[in-house]
Amino acid sequence: MSEPSGLTRLFLKGRLRHALTDREVEVLDSLIERTERVPDGHVVQARAVEATRSTLLLDGFIARVIDDEGARNIVGLQVPGDFVDLHAFALKRLDHDVVTIGPALLGYVSHSKLQDIVRNEPHLTRVLWFSTLLDAAIHREWILKLEQLKAEERLGHIVCELWHRLNFVDLADTHGFNMPLLQTHLANACGTTAVHINRVIKAVRERGLLEINRGRVTLPNRPELERFSRFNPDYLYGKGSLYLGDDFKDR
C-alpha cells in the first residue's frame, strides 16, 4: 500500500495501518466531513451528552477526564492519529469528558457514516474495532501500573508510553518529544498531587533519566528509563510479541 497523504494518514500508523487496502484508505479519508481548530480546554465530547459524531485527532493532545467531587482526573491520553471517541458510536453517551490539552485540530465523522461502514465494509469495521480495543489495552496497562508502581516509576511509564505512541506517527525523535502537558496534567495522570509531582520530576531528573522543560520532554537514556519504569511496549501493538503482521489483512 502506498503511503497516503490524506487527513487519516496517522490513524494506526505503526500498528495496523498496513492492513488497510488503498481503497479502504480512500474510504477512511472520505469519512472526515469537517475539520476544526480548537483551543486548550475545548470539550470535544461531554459526559452524558448524546454523541452524533466521533472525532479523529489530527494534531494536538486530548485527555479523557473524570470529575470526582471537584477533582479532575485524567484517565487516558490521546495523541495525533487517535480516534478519540470512536466508542461513542456504540455507547452514544460517554461516562467521561473528552477535553483538549493545548490547541488541537479535529476531524469529525458522523455516526451515520460509521453506520454505512458497518453495513458495507466488514474488514474496515474490524480495523476500527481494533482501534477501540487498543484504547482498552492502554487503559488496562494504566490501571495495572497505577497499582504496581511508585510515583516516580508511574511518571516514567507514562513518558515512555507517550514516546512510543508519538514515535509511531513520527512525532518523537531519539532524544524526546514535544507535549503541552503541564505538571498538573502529569500529576492527575500519575494519581498524585500537583505539589508532589514536582518532587517526582526532580527525583527522576536527578537519576539522569528525564528532563521536562517548556513543553519539551528530553530523554537522555530512554532504555534505562524503560527499565526503571518497568515499561514493556507490547500492549501498544507495535513491533513486538503482539504485532499482527499480515494476520489482519483482508484476504
Side-chain angles (χ1 to χ4, degrees), residues 91-106:
L91 293 172
K92 287 304 177 187
R93 288 179 172 83
L94 299 183
D95 61 345
H96 59 279
D97 294 325
V98 179
V99 185
T100 59
I101 299 179
L105 177 62
L106 311 178

Side-chain angles (χ1 to χ4, degrees), residues 67-226:
D67 283 330
D68 182 29
E69 297 181 353
R72 292 176 64 80
N73 303 278
I74 293 177
V75 295
L77 293 169
Q78 309 294 154
V79 302
D82 290 350
F83 249 121
V84 298
D85 54 357
L86 187 56
H87 55 303
F89 172 59
L91 293 172
K92 287 304 177 187
R93 288 179 172 83
L94 299 183
D95 61 345
H96 59 279
D97 294 325
V98 179
V99 185
T100 59
I101 299 179
L105 177 62
L106 311 178
Y108 297 123
V109 177
S110 69
H111 286 177
S112 61
K113 281 202 170 188
L114 290 176
Q115 185 62 53
D116 289 340
I117 295 296
V118 171
R119 185 181 299 113
N120 301 315
E121 301 282 349
H123 181 253
L124 184 53
T125 296
R126 189 181 177 203
V127 170
L128 293 173
W129 189 12
F130 172 90
S131 173
T132 65
L133 297 177
L134 179 58
D135 280 340
I138 293 172
H139 290 160
R140 285 191 292 273
E141 187 75 7
W142 275 43
I143 292 169
L144 176 66
K145 296 308 178 182
L146 190 64
E147 191 71 25
Q148 284 184 337
L149 303 181
K150 299 176 182 177
E152 291 87 351
E153 297 165 332
R154 291 200 300 270
L155 172 66
H157 197 278
I158 287 174
V159 167
C160 290
E161 178 187 292
L162 285 175
W163 184 89
H164 278 269
R165 293 171 69 184
L166 291 169
N167 189 55
F168 286 140
V169 295
D170 299 325
L171 292 175
D173 57 51
T174 304
H175 305 292
F177 56 91
N178 298 325
M179 70 170 188
L181 276 70
L182 304 176
Q183 288 193 11
T184 52
H185 299 128
L186 293 172
N188 288 338
C190 291
T192 188
T193 65
V195 173
H196 185 54
I197 196 67
N198 188 54
R199 294 194 291 268
V200 169
I201 293 172
K202 180 180 178 182
V204 182
R205 183 175 64 243
E206 288 177 347
R207 288 177 174 266
L209 301 178
L210 176 67
E211 288 281 350
I212 301 177
N213 186 34
R214 296 184 178 181
R216 174 70 182 176
V217 177
T218 302
L219 306 177
N221 190 339
R222 184 174 54 81
E224 183 58 33
L225 180 64
E226 292 187 2

